[in-house]
Amino acid sequence: MKTKPALELADVKAIAAAAEAEAMKNKWAVSIAIVDDGGHLLWLQRLDGAAPISAHIAPAKANTAAVGQRESRIYEEMINGGRVSFLSAPDLKGLLEGGVPIMKGGDCLGAVGVSGVKSSEDAQIARAGIAALGL
């Protein structure tokens, strides 16, 4: 039987604080979502000024990154490259850049999804949050 690490509430809070700090530093109004390895929502935060739709998109990006165990931008790139069949993938709704998996030793612990600014900036915020764990 395999033993694998899991996110704890302290980890989630550290990720959220670091992601929020990155967004605030750049004056970006975003929503930040953190999910576990099954894509289940652990944290959702909509910063002041963030569009309401971002609170729906951020968890979708996080879910896609967690269950796919890869950045959500990979799916966007595949679709843009002509593999439109990925649009029919079950339960994958956040097929846009901005979802980043939290990986440790080859295991996916969850993911961070961000929405509200350019997709590359969303991913930057997500990575800044994950960096707080020092993995």
Side-chain angles (χ1 to χ4, degrees), residues 20 23-24 27-32 45-52 54 115-117:
E20 179 183 358
M24 299 300 283
K27 297 182 171 85
W28 292 334
V30 298
S31 288
I32 301 162
Q45 177 175 2
R46 186 174 139 205
L47 301 182
D48 292 341
S54 68
S115 178
V117 288

Side-chain angles (χ1 to χ4, degrees), residues 11 27 29 34 37 39 65 94-95 106 112 115 134:
D11 301 320
K27 297 182 171 85
I34 304 168
D37 60 340
L95 303 172
V112 179
S115 178

Side-chain angles (χ1 to χ4, degrees), residues 52-63:
I53 191 70
S54 68
H56 292 277
I57 296 171
K61 289 179 178 183
N63 178 281

